[in-house]
Amino acid sequence: MSLTLQRDDLLRSKHFIGGRWCEAASGARYDVEDPALARAFASVPDGGADDARAALESAHAAFPAWRAVPARDRSRILARWNALLLEHKEDLGKLISREQGKPLAEAIGEIAYAASYVEWFAAEAVRSYGDVIPPPVRGRQMFAVKEPVGVIAAISPWNFPAAMIARKIAPALAAGCTVVAKPAEDTPLTALALAKLAEEAGVPAGVLNLVTASRAHAPEVVDVWLADTRVRKLTFTGSTPVGRHLARASADTLKKLSLELGGNAPFIVFEDADLDAAVDGLMASKFRNGGQTCVCPNRVYVHDAVHDDFVQRLVKRVAALKVGPASDPVSQIGPLINARAVEKVERHVRDALSKGAQVVSGGEPLPALGPNYFQPTVLTGVTATMDCSCEETFGPVVPVSRFNDEGAVVAEANGTPYGLAAYFYTRDVRRIARLASALESGLIGINEGAVAAEAAPFGGIKASGYGREGSRYGIDEYMHIKYLCQGGLD
Ligand code: SIN
């Protein structure tokens, strides 16, 4: 099926380097697939080391002029980019749906989410204040000023093809950094369209550079950036093993790093919870993007006293979810990204069943719809040793376990190397204070399943990484502090 956009020129098929749209130096290209059909519908350059170097040269050359642009003017450019994203949200949403698979309404919602980060950092650009420090001796003035770190490399994931790259590029540009970026292999088209609109918004040539590459060639691109001291910061969203590799490989050049890595979020429902609110929160959080979200609940613990009631309400809602292609306006859950994702979900369900869990809803792939669909699924009787408790499933599966002791459930919730998001539902204010402190996690939803927002600091602890995106802290990830000491003033 063809892709019809109001603006055809938002379907880009080349790298964006130094303000030019160009092919890979090798001339190679790779196919972009529609996950609903597992069939190619577009192609982009398959970049390599030469393209990565060209992007880096441009970003490096553009840095002195961009950092000298007054913050107010950088802010205006970002504000225009935000306006263009919103103006073209339907076209951008169609690109997301086509290459990533999420339903169109959700994809358009993602554009609004991406734009909210651009709007936020347009405003932060003019507020990156430093400090005037009271001097300890006479005749001195002391200041702490914030400066852009330089060229930054951004590596973004496929699950939010617009929002994740926007929340890296926007603070970088706001801070006065220039950017080399590699969007995820599966979803390059949305990022290229975003770059086209950034160009129209007035981002100067060389300030933003995008190199696309297939899974096989992506390491060649990234290795160039990792090895080069001119790349001063790396920001990455993706898996913990890749994050560890990037941290190790950044050690020689001592890059500043932000790593938003895997999660394994607990979702705890206490006996005094508002069960309708808890089911709403779980549905919103778990089934956003079909469960392909780092912050979505991966382990659901329900108190014995309300377990059966909660599961009954949950199953009613899950069984009513409409699964189908993004192009069908009634679809609520699209396909998973690819065959490997389906295999992982199937493995988790199989493993749980073999260890004593029960399927109470779903549990099967949906080949009649296409190769990458899986039924929204609820499992009960889940225990800590099952794969679905130990690994991020990244699919539409809700694994439910029972508990009857607060201390034990907190220990189990924390019993993972990860610490990105955690959720709990209770009406007890003392318990809220206890869990808010005890849960080892970067984000906590308290009687709330949808926690992410441009105004909030997003990021993890433990094996979920470090650094924060969004909020007033987000721009600091792209700046360093310089201390100025002027003496001889008395
Ligand atoms: C993610 O899945 O990595 C990000 C999700 C979000 O921004 O809420």
Side-chain angles (χ1 to χ4, degrees):
M1 203 170 45
S2 67
L3 180 63
T4 315
L5 303 179
Q6 280 160 32
R7 264 192 57 179
D8 290 347
D9 64 338
L10 289 180
L11 181 56
R12 311 302 297 177
S13 57
K14 293 187 175 169
H15 292 322
F16 183 55
I17 299 179
R20 289 178 44 249
W21 295 91
C22 51
E23 292 292 347
S26 66
R29 298 183 67 79
Y30 76 95
D31 286 338
V32 182
E33 284 193 355
D34 175 348
L37 304 167
R39 212 177 286 149
F41 71 98
S43 71
V44 292
D46 195 358
D50 289 339
D51 307 292
R53 271 191 287 272
L56 176 51
E57 293 299 340
S58 309
H60 183 63
F63 176 60
W66 181 243
R67 71 171 286 189
V69 170
R72 175 61 75 189
D73 293 341
R74 290 200 302 266
S75 170
R76 289 194 180 107
I77 291 172
L78 285 169
R80 280 200 293 275
W81 191 29
N82 169 50
L84 286 167
L85 295 176
L86 294 175
E87 186 183 332
H88 298 292
K89 63 179 192 287
E90 272 88 17
D91 276 353
L92 297 170
K94 282 186 189 167
L95 283 170
I96 293 184
S97 283
R98 195 60 187 276
E99 63 178 353
Q100 197 273 334
K102 68 181 64 162
L104 186 58
E106 194 176 344
I108 292 172
E110 185 189 331
I111 296 302
Y113 183 47
S116 73
Y117 285 96
V118 179
E119 183 185 22
W120 178 266
F121 286 111
E124 287 297 293
V126 291
R127 299 208 171 85
S128 50
Y129 302 116
D131 293 310
V132 177
I133 301 166
V137 292
R138 287 174 192 279
R140 253 193 210 174
Q141 283 186 335
M142 294 163 57
F143 307 96
V145 296
K146 291 186 184 172
E147 292 188 334
V149 293
V151 177
I152 72 115
I155 305 174
S156 60
W158 52 263
N159 59 344
F160 290 88
M164 296 301 103
I165 200 159
R167 78 182 185 196
K168 298 180 186 313
I169 294 173
L173 299 190
C177 297
T178 55
V179 178
V180 291
K182 189 200 74 59
E185 304 76 39
D186 297 302
T187 56
L189 300 175
T190 308
L192 292 171
L194 259 55
K196 170 76 184 143
L197 294 174
E199 185 187 24
E200 278 175 35
V203 173
V207 168
L208 172 61
N209 305 275
L210 247 69
V211 176
T212 56
S214 65
R215 203 162 264 110
H217 289 135
E220 269 178 47
V221 171
V222 175
D223 285 352
V224 167
W225 297 340
L226 286 169
D228 201 302
T229 51
R230 291 172 298 175
V231 175
R232 294 291 168 79
K233 182 202 161 89
L234 176 78
T235 169
F236 168 71
T237 298
S239 74
T240 296
V242 175
R244 286 204 176 98
H245 161 72
L246 295 174
R248 278 189 209 105
S250 296
D252 280 346
T253 54
L254 287 175
K255 293 187 203 317
K256 198 171 159 94
L257 291 170
S258 312
L259 301 173
E260 199 259 271
L261 308 177
N264 185 358
F267 186 104
I268 309 170
V269 182
F270 286 94
E271 65 280 21
D272 62 344
D274 174 339
L275 292 193
D276 285 331
V279 172
D280 283 348
L282 181 56
M283 293 299 294
S285 191
K286 177 74 228 186
F287 291 104
R288 177 171 170 232
N289 199 19
Q292 301 174 106
T293 306
C294 301
V295 289
C296 72
N298 202 56
R299 297 170 292 151
V300 178
Y301 301 102
V302 186
H303 193 278
D304 251 339
V306 292
H307 176 276
D308 294 353
D309 189 2
F310 182 83
V311 168
Q312 204 176 29
R313 296 178 200 216
L314 177 66
V315 166
K316 218 163 144 188
R317 295 279 296 277
V318 171
L321 286 170
K322 299 266 181 295
V323 184
S327 53
D328 183 342
V330 303
S331 298
Q332 293 166 295
I333 306 282
L336 294 171
I337 188 71
N338 52 34
R340 282 180 308 147
V342 181
E343 277 157 30
K344 185 174 192 190
V345 171
E346 284 189 289
R347 172 169 67 76
H348 279 193
V349 172
R350 240 190 352 260
D351 172 77
L353 297 186
S354 75
K355 293 174 180 158
Q358 299 85 44
V359 170
V360 288
S361 191
E364 299 288 339
L366 287 164
L369 284 175
N372 295 331
Y373 289 91
F374 200 90
Q375 286 178 319
T377 296
V378 181
L379 301 172
T380 54
V382 170
T383 59
T385 57
M386 296 177 183
D387 289 349
C388 62
S389 301
C390 308
E391 301 169 17
E392 218 175 2
T393 302
F394 239 60
V397 179
V398 187
V400 182
S401 316
R402 287 175 184 271
F403 75 94
N404 54 28
D405 176 77
E406 180 186 309
V409 80
V410 169
E412 198 159 338
N414 287 339
T416 165
Y418 300 98
L420 185 55
Y423 307 84
F424 63 93
Y425 278 71
T426 178
R427 290 184 168 108
D428 179 336
V429 290
R430 289 195 183 83
R431 178 183 279 149
I432 287 176
R434 281 195 301 274
L435 264 79
S437 161
L439 287 172
E440 296 169 359
S441 179
L443 323 172
I444 301 199
I446 305 166
N447 296 323
E448 179 58 67
V451 293
E454 76 290 356
F458 190 106
I461 60 173
K462 296 162 66 181
S464 296
Y466 39 77
R468 292 294 177 266
E469 295 190 315
S471 80
R472 73 186 177 89
Y473 307 106
I475 195 165
D476 290 341
E477 301 282 340
Y478 298 88
M479 305 192 91
H480 55 231
I481 292 175
K482 185 182 270 178
Y483 161 51
L484 310 178
C485 178
Q486 185 178 2
L489 297 176
D490 50 353

